[in-house]
Amino acid sequence: MELMEVFDIKVVILWTDGLVFLLTFLALFAIISMRSNPYLRRTWREVFRSKIGISAFVVLMAYITTGILDSFHFRAALENTENQTGTHYSGEVTSVLDMIIGQPHQHQEKTYSAPFSAFQFAKENIELPDGTIQRQYPRLKYGGSHLNEDTSDKVSDIIRRTFVSILWALLIWGCLVWLLIFLKARKSQNSMAKIGRQIWSGRTDIPWKVALIATGILILSISWFAQIADGYHIFGTDKVGNDVFYQAVKSIRTGLIVGTVTTLIMLPLAISLGIMAGYFRGWVDDVIQYLYTTLSSIPGVLLIAAAMLVLNVWIDNHPEHFPTAVQRADIRLLSLCIILGMTSWIGLCRLLRGETLKLRELGYVHAAQVFGVSNVQIIKRHFLPNLMHIVLITVVLDFSFLVLAEAVLSYLGIGVDPTTSSWGNMINAARLELAREPVVWWSLIAAFLFMFGLVLAANLFSDAVRRAFDPRGVS
Amino acid sequence: MFNYILRRLAYALPILLGVNIITFALFFVVITPNDMARLHLGDKHITQEQIQQWKHERGYDKPLFINKDSQGFDMVKETIFYQKSISLFFLDFGTSDADRRDINYDISQRMWPSLAIAVPTFIVGLLVNITMAMLLVFFRGTHIDTLGVVLTVILMSISSLFYIIAGQFLMSKLWHLAPISGYELGFDAWRFLILPVVIGVISGMGAGTRWYRSIFLEEINRDYVRTARAKGVPELKVLFKHVLQNAMIPILTGVVVVIPALFMGNLIMETLFLGSVLYIIGLIITDISYTWVDPRVRLS
């Protein structure tokens, strides 16, 4: 195949993709602007000085990278047939992540199969070579198809693959360690051996040893998954034979989007209204207070359910705006984020209003007012920087709540589209599978493990952030 | 006190009106009664007459705000907004769109099972959380405290769905301790209640314990605690008497009355209103309860 053909693709940018890119850009911008502020630099250093904080950060970065890779969507070109003008593109939208995972995501079996199994979960009539028909567990099309007849070499095959994955992991990890030591040595003008000893004995300001161990474990598990997923279904397959492990990986993007895009929608509302209410007081304050009291008096789940119900009817009635199923699923995901954003800005708005009320009585604000500085300038220069720590803490705290909320809402049928891979949808399907005899447990466990990893990392990281930015621990 | 409650109730009126307008906007302006008729009749090939019939049966064929065909007060009264939204203020919820059941009757029927789960979960959960938090505070600074905090973070990171599914699976399917679903009136209901109550308590334990622990830790460094200790009051009594009493205000603020409202489906629009009524009542009760636990608080 020629190189041009490899890259012959049609880029598809979904709404949520665009927002993910915007968010990534904003985050990078925030990091760059924070670097020039010595106070913020010191506080962030404090976050990464805690061993738990830095390990949680490593795990979060792995999730985020997966989510971003899964947000580059495109339609691959179909192979040219005879007498055809121009290139035609596949109707299926794939992502860069699918490309990296490669074959396993297309390995579809017929129905359920257990983790690591080479056989189907249910018996089937099979015609034997001599013509007789027997009921037995058929071999899977992809899972363990490279094994011999009676799959007696399965254990040795898994051990071999594990061994290969350890070698790969060591190689990559070794390069990383070398790179880190090399960079640090060049920066501090020390010999590499000395830096290496410092990291090994844990005498560094930021606990690099812990960070490297966490990265090592992460690389090892990724390379192990990569090796095994090539030949087996690690978490088995679901009812229609899709690989559960692949589904759980694809759900990462959904979870991250709900956790982050919602914040992006809620922040402008909360910040502008909160500061306005606290700064201008009077009728502005009354109106804003009325607004959030009314909204918060409606039970959250019910408001979300009502809004989602209404939006679904609206989407169903306007199919012309969303030609493909992917676009429809995408707009449902986005509307879930918008609705969650509409219901979750209130807490932050209240906090910001209270803090602004306190700040506006301070001397330097009065001084600025007396000097005739405009309100916009005062808010920009004196209020925003002094409120940022509250915003940051709330955003990090809300993240894990939102990821959990997505699952609950999808489970209740008012969350993301049923065709979107999400942990909530997986758990929803697993509810019925547990009632089967024998039990199909792997979907539930896979969704649980992936979700638990993300939420635990987010919770631990938010603890570290809160401890650094708000030492009193009250928020 | 009486004046205070009256005034708070008066403040509640504009808020409830706001809730009304939000639900009205959602259910009648964003999606029109025509859409709703199609949704409920569920057929793509449906005639205009059928839609008209459906709307007429449920009173949705009236204009939204002002009826120009009527005289006097009926101009406002004979509209969807008045009949569907304002009547909520008199706690008259009308009939369900789908099967035309009386919603007031449905609510009165379904309220008791919901309450029977919500109230024990709330009380047991509160007791368990406060006791656990007290234990952690008692062992503060030791490994038990660290272990406890790690445990609460782990408990918090598990989705409540998993508690529900795992609880149903273990307790009902594997160990046959409790029935998996169903309900029975009267005293026998406890067999059906035990599973949701246990799940509810466990799923709230992580966040709850952590929250109370931070409240108690805040109190424990105050002067009155040091004085009590100096007088020789035993540590357990310091914790459960002095600290607990003084931490009552933040506890009450967090523990606004649980809203026993999970009537899904066709009742959503009506429960939105009911839910916010309950929430406002909860807020008022919270304020009144402050006066019980802290005599310095005056309601004015």
Side-chain angles (χ1 to χ4, degrees):
Chain A
M1 208 190 285
E2 276 182 27
L3 199 67
M4 265 316 289
E5 269 188 305
V6 179
F7 289 99
D8 197 2
I9 53 170
K10 196 175 191 176
V11 177
V12 178
I13 297 183
L14 300 170
W15 273 99
T16 47
D17 292 344
L19 288 170
V20 167
F21 300 146
L22 178 68
L23 260 171
T24 320
F25 178 74
L26 284 177
L28 287 177
F29 178 75
I31 291 171
I32 290 168
S33 62
M34 271 194 268
R35 278 182 74 87
S36 58
N37 181 328
Y39 167 72
L40 284 174
R41 273 184 79 140
R42 215 169 42 236
T43 326
W44 274 110
R45 246 192 135 70
E46 198 64 44
V47 174
F48 291 110
R49 213 176 263 157
S50 92
K51 286 175 186 163
I52 291 177
I54 199 160
S55 334
F57 179 74
V58 170
V59 177
L60 277 181
M61 280 319 282
Y63 273 99
I64 290 171
T65 316
T66 317
I68 291 178
L69 284 179
D70 203 10
S71 293
F72 291 98
H73 286 107
F74 60 85
R75 283 159 66 182
L78 293 174
E79 274 175 40
N80 271 321
T81 48
E82 304 259 323
N83 58 46
Q84 165 188 301
T85 49
T87 330
H88 288 257
Y89 295 97
S90 156
E92 192 190 2
V93 177
T94 42
S95 73
V96 173
L97 183 75
D98 294 331
M99 218 168 66
I100 294 171
I101 292 178
Q103 285 305 306
H105 84 270
Q106 291 158 354
H107 286 180
Q108 188 163 19
E109 308 290 350
K110 226 169 180 179
T111 179
Y112 291 120
S113 67
F116 289 104
S117 177
F119 294 98
Q120 202 167 291
F121 194 59
K123 281 187 179 171
E124 237 176 52
N125 289 332
I126 293 175
E127 198 181 319
L128 296 177
D130 58 3
T132 52
I133 288 178
Q134 212 180 356
R135 264 191 92 68
Q136 55 173 241
Y137 298 108
R139 283 291 289 264
L140 294 176
K141 233 185 314 173
Y142 300 98
S145 56
H146 55 287
L147 302 175
N148 61 18
E149 191 69 29
D150 55 351
T151 67
S152 56
D153 54 346
K154 189 159 113 180
V155 176
S156 63
D157 182 59
I158 292 176
I159 291 174
R160 187 184 59 81
R161 279 165 191 266
T162 309
F163 193 68
V164 173
S165 76
I166 292 175
L167 282 182
W168 269 109
L170 274 179
L171 187 71
I172 299 169
W173 189 66
C175 290
L176 267 179
V177 173
W178 184 84
L179 192 70
L180 176 79
I181 295 177
F182 176 74
L183 286 176
K184 279 190 81 71
R186 243 185 57 171
K187 203 174 162 196
S188 60
Q189 303 284 332
N190 275 325
S191 74
M192 285 181 60
K194 193 179 169 196
I195 298 285
R197 270 199 306 276
Q198 267 182 9
I199 291 177
W200 175 249
S201 59
R203 276 183 286 114
T204 46
D205 181 32
I206 286 173
W208 285 114
K209 192 180 163 190
V210 181
L212 283 175
I213 291 173
T215 320
I217 294 172
L218 204 72
I219 291 175
L220 180 63
S221 42
I222 290 173
S223 81
W224 188 75
F225 280 138
Q227 278 293 321
I228 302 279
D230 198 33
Y232 301 90
H233 298 292
I234 296 178
F235 281 109
T237 52
D238 70 356
K239 192 172 181 179
V240 288
N242 290 321
D243 189 82
V244 171
F245 175 69
Y246 172 70
Q247 272 178 22
V249 172
K250 289 291 274 184
S251 303
I252 291 176
R253 176 175 180 269
T254 313
L256 286 176
I257 281 184
V258 173
T260 52
V261 172
T262 305
T263 334
L264 187 72
I265 289 161
M266 147 203 137
L267 279 186
L269 265 176
I271 295 178
S272 58
L273 291 181
I275 293 181
M276 267 162 65
Y279 185 73
F280 294 113
R281 297 203 286 201
W283 65 269
V284 181
D285 191 17
D286 287 341
V287 170
I288 291 169
Q289 273 201 65
Y290 169 71
L291 200 68
Y292 70 59
T293 321
T294 307
L295 267 178
S296 68
S297 82
I298 303 175
V301 183
L302 290 178
L303 185 63
I304 294 166
M308 279 311 279
L309 190 84
V310 166
L311 259 165
N312 286 340
V313 173
W314 190 81
I315 290 172
D316 284 345
N317 285 334
H318 298 82
E320 67 275 9
H321 297 313
F322 321 105
T324 64
V326 175
Q327 275 168 316
R328 256 183 51 179
D330 183 63
I331 211 74
R332 257 193 85 159
L333 179 60
L334 183 65
S335 55
L336 178 69
C337 292
I338 293 174
I339 292 163
L340 277 172
M342 288 294 169
T343 49
S344 60
W345 60 274
I346 295 159
L348 179 61
C349 182
R350 259 195 198 134
L351 283 176
L352 290 179
R353 175 180 166 272
E355 196 66 20
T356 313
L357 279 175
K358 245 188 275 169
L359 284 178
R360 79 188 293 282
E361 301 304 329
L362 293 183
Y364 61 85
V365 178
H366 284 302
Q369 280 166 340
V370 171
F371 281 129
V373 182
S374 74
N375 287 336
V376 178
Q377 280 296 322
I378 292 178
I379 288 174
K380 212 174 106 190
R381 229 182 273 158
H382 299 307
F383 284 76
L384 277 179
N386 282 314
L387 296 171
M388 265 310 147
H389 69 283
I390 298 181
V391 175
L392 185 79
I393 291 169
T394 316
V395 166
V396 185
L397 274 180
D398 275 1
F399 176 79
S400 52
F401 164 77
L402 289 167
V403 173
L404 290 174
E406 182 275 321
V408 174
L409 294 173
S410 301
Y411 180 80
L412 292 175
I414 49 175
V416 296
D417 195 80
T419 59
T420 312
S421 358
S422 93
W423 293 313
N425 282 340
M426 285 173 74
I427 296 175
N428 194 10
R431 176 172 49 160
L432 296 174
E433 290 167 358
L434 279 182
R436 279 175 61 102
E437 204 62 61
V439 173
V440 174
W441 46 268
W442 41 87
S443 279
L444 185 71
I445 296 294
F448 168 71
L449 285 179
F450 272 81
M451 212 168 141
F452 181 67
L454 177 61
V455 177
L456 185 66
N459 275 339
L460 293 174
F461 187 67
S462 79
D463 266 5
V465 168
R466 193 165 45 161
R467 216 170 297 136
F469 279 82
D470 190 8
R472 256 163 46 80
V474 192
S475 66
Chain B
M1 174 84 100
F2 185 69
N3 278 339
Y4 175 79
I5 295 173
L6 265 188
R7 206 167 54 243
R8 282 297 295 262
L9 284 176
Y11 282 144
L13 279 180
I15 289 172
L16 289 178
L17 192 70
V19 173
N20 246 337
I21 290 169
I22 291 174
T23 46
F24 185 78
L26 270 179
F27 282 91
F28 292 104
V29 181
V30 179
I31 53 170
T32 60
N34 283 340
D35 295 337
M36 213 128 68
R38 266 192 215 102
L39 180 74
H40 278 290
L41 294 170
D43 204 293
K44 284 273 176 199
H45 313 286
I46 204 154
T47 59
Q48 198 58 39
E49 285 86 61
Q50 278 172 298
I51 292 179
Q52 281 305 328
Q53 167 82 11
W54 189 90
K55 276 160 64 183
H56 183 73
E57 277 169 14
R58 288 156 183 79
Y60 290 146
D61 52 350
K62 301 190 172 72
L64 283 181
F65 293 105
I66 292 169
N67 193 340
K68 293 194 177 98
D69 299 334
S70 311
Q71 296 295 315
F73 190 56
D74 275 357
M75 261 176 84
V76 188
K77 230 176 148 183
E78 286 294 311
T79 58
I80 297 182
F81 183 69
Y82 184 85
Q83 300 210 329
K84 295 289 162 191
S85 274
I86 299 298
S87 63
L88 294 180
F89 276 100
F90 308 111
L91 296 182
D92 169 18
F93 297 109
T95 55
S96 147
D97 282 345
D99 41 16
R100 318 229 53 201
R101 280 206 308 250
D102 184 10
I103 293 176
N104 288 37
Y105 176 76
D106 263 14
I107 289 177
S108 67
Q109 283 290 299
R110 297 181 189 199
M111 194 168 72
W112 301 116
S114 289
L115 279 177
I117 292 174
V119 172
T121 310
F122 174 72
I123 295 170
V124 176
L126 201 63
L127 290 177
V128 169
N129 292 346
I130 289 181
T131 320
M132 295 292 281
M134 277 292 179
L135 272 175
L136 291 187
V137 172
F138 184 74
F139 289 111
R140 67 191 171 280
T142 65
H143 287 299
I144 296 176
D145 183 32
T146 321
L147 190 76
V149 173
V150 171
L151 252 171
T152 54
V153 177
I154 290 177
L155 280 175
M156 271 168 69
S157 305
I158 297 174
S159 166
S160 53
L161 292 177
F162 194 76
Y163 289 114
I164 298 173
I165 294 176
Q168 283 184 337
F169 183 71
L170 289 179
M171 286 181 63
S172 302
K173 205 175 166 207
L174 228 53
W175 301 334
H176 301 287
L177 288 178
I180 202 157
S181 66
Y183 193 69
E184 213 167 290
L185 287 174
F187 192 69
D188 271 348
W190 71 269
R191 290 192 301 123
F192 295 95
L193 292 178
I194 190 132
L195 183 64
V197 169
V198 168
I199 292 173
V201 170
I202 293 178
S203 66
M205 217 163 81
T209 306
R210 225 168 102 94
W211 155 251
Y212 291 124
R213 177 179 167 273
S214 66
I215 292 177
F216 294 147
L217 279 181
E218 184 104 324
E219 286 294 319
I220 204 129
N221 293 321
R222 295 282 166 88
D223 287 343
Y224 70 87
V225 177
R226 203 182 314 139
T227 315
R229 285 213 196 99
K231 284 198 306 189
V233 181
E235 181 71 12
L236 272 180
K237 201 175 170 194
V238 171
L239 283 178
F240 276 93
K241 190 139 180 274
H242 297 74
V243 172
L244 188 59
Q245 262 184 16
N246 283 283
M248 258 347 240
I249 292 268
I251 288 178
L252 286 173
T253 315
V255 183
V256 185
V257 177
V258 190
I259 302 146
L262 265 178
F263 324 83
M264 281 293 168
N266 289 312
L267 300 178
I268 284 175
M269 181 187 164
E270 290 76 13
T271 29
L272 276 190
F273 185 81
L274 195 66
S276 76
V277 171
L278 289 174
Y279 177 80
I280 289 166
I281 295 174
L283 283 184
I284 298 176
I285 296 175
T286 309
D287 276 358
I288 296 170
S289 65
Y290 287 164
T291 58
W292 298 335
V293 299
D294 190 344
R296 286 170 303 181
V297 174
R298 294 261 181 282
L299 296 179
S300 56

